């Protein structure tokens, strides 16, 4: 141990310096050094940037798991409709019947503002008129599932036919016609049994 004033070496435990007589300060350089080392050993080690990245990544994964757990998987999907069968038509799936009957088919799933899940099908076909003439037409069929009613089944919500044939009479062309229950049943029969849809639903 050394004197803080004159630098003379003094014995351990001495209270005064033998050279200059100064009072020995217990907070000598050696003791300060020891205290600093002790403090360094007791302070927490700062985490590396790699550890921070790992921690952030873990939190993101946990957040994604919660999003997956609480996401709404009750929505009606295109595959749900295509692989299902309508009551009374258990010989074919909806997807197979519609894709075989129509050309230029498209399927789309969406939700209405009121929360009803809808799968909309569109496809072209030849509509047969009253005297066996046919007109190029496009059908739109909506399947719907209302969570307020049941999540166990869906239903045919609407069927619409648009005559797209330029040769169609003026009162038929560029108009959309929604089918009522009876005509809708005949239309579904035609689709599943691959026959002509012949109901004369249009008039001057």
């Amino acid at each position: 141990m050394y004197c803080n004033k004159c630098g003379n070496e003094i014995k351990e435990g001495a209270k005064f310096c033998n050279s200059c007589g100064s009072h020995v300060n217990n907070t000598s350089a050696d003791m300060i050094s020891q205290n600093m080392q002790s403090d360094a050993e007791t302070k927490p080690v700062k985490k590396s940037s790699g550890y921070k990245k790992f921690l952030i990544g873990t939190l993101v994964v946990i957040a994604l798991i919660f999003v997956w757990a609480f996401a709404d998987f009750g929505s009606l999907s295109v595959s749900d409709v295509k692989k299902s069968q309508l009551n009374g038509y258990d010989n074919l799936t909806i997807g197979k019947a519609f894709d075989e009957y129509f050309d230029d088919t498209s399927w789309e799933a969406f939700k209405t503002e009121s929360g009803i899940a809808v799968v909309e099908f569109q496809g072209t076909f030849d509509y047969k008129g009253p005297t066996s003439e046919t007109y190029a037409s496009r059908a739109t069929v909506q399947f719907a599932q209302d969570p307020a009613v049941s999540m166990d089944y869906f239903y045919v919500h609407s069927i619409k036919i648009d005559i797209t044939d330029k040769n169609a009479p003026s009162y038929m062309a560029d108009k959309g016609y929604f089918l009522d229950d009876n005509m809708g049943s005949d239309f579904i029969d035609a689709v599943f049994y691959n026959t002509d849809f012949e109901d004369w639903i249009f008039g001057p």
Side-chain angles (χ1 to χ4, degrees):
M1 185 169 61
Y2 297 88
C3 176
N4 290 335
K5 188 173 183 179
C6 68
N8 184 58
E9 184 176 1
I10 54 179
K11 295 181 180 180
E12 291 290 338
K15 295 183 179 181
F16 297 95
C17 176
N18 294 331
S19 177
C20 67
S22 297
H23 184 269
V24 175
N25 190 347
N26 289 329
T27 58
S28 62
D30 291 341
M31 293 183 69
I32 292 174
S33 177
Q34 291 174 2
N35 289 339
M36 289 178 63
Q37 183 177 359
S38 176
D39 289 342
E41 292 173 354
T42 56
K43 287 181 180 178
V45 178
K46 186 177 181 180
K47 304 299 183 183
S48 66
S49 59
Y51 177 82
K52 286 184 179 179
K53 291 180 180 179
F54 172 78
L55 181 60
I56 293 173
T58 302
L59 293 176
V60 169
V61 171
I62 293 173
L64 290 176
I65 291 173
F66 274 102
V67 170
W68 177 85
F70 293 102
D72 180 13
F73 288 99
S75 298
L76 190 63
S77 69
V78 171
S79 61
D80 289 335
V81 172
K82 294 185 75 171
K83 69 184 180 184
S84 300
Q85 297 171 323
L86 290 179
N87 287 337
Y89 301 92
D90 53 1
N91 57 320
L92 281 177
T93 63
I94 294 173
K96 185 172 178 61
F98 276 62
D99 286 338
E100 287 184 354
Y101 189 79
F102 297 95
D103 296 319
D104 300 324
T105 61
S106 66
W107 298 82
E108 179 186 6
F110 60 91
K111 267 190 174 183
T112 66
E113 291 182 359
S114 58
I116 297 176
V118 176
V119 169
E120 182 177 275
F121 166 86
Q122 289 192 13
T124 60
F125 75 110
D126 288 331
Y127 168 77
K128 191 172 184 180
T131 56
S132 296
E133 71 276 23
T134 58
Y135 301 105
S137 307
R138 187 163 188 83
T140 301
V141 182
Q142 288 188 343
F143 303 89
Q145 183 182 60
D146 189 347
V149 178
S150 176
M151 299 298 291
D152 297 327
Y153 66 88
F154 58 90
Y155 53 91
V156 178
H157 178 262
S158 66
I159 302 174
K160 180 185 176 186
I161 294 178
D162 293 279
I163 305 299
T164 58
D165 200 322
K166 295 181 179 179
N167 297 320
S170 59
Y171 61 84
M172 295 174 61
D174 300 324
K175 292 183 179 178
Y177 300 87
F178 284 94
L179 306 187
D180 60 22
D181 290 344
N182 291 331
M183 293 179 184
S185 296
D186 291 339
F187 179 79
I188 294 297
D189 277 343
V191 173
F192 275 85
Y193 299 123
N194 201 17
T195 59
D196 290 331
F197 178 56
E198 300 178 343
D199 281 289
W200 178 234
I201 62 173
F202 310 110

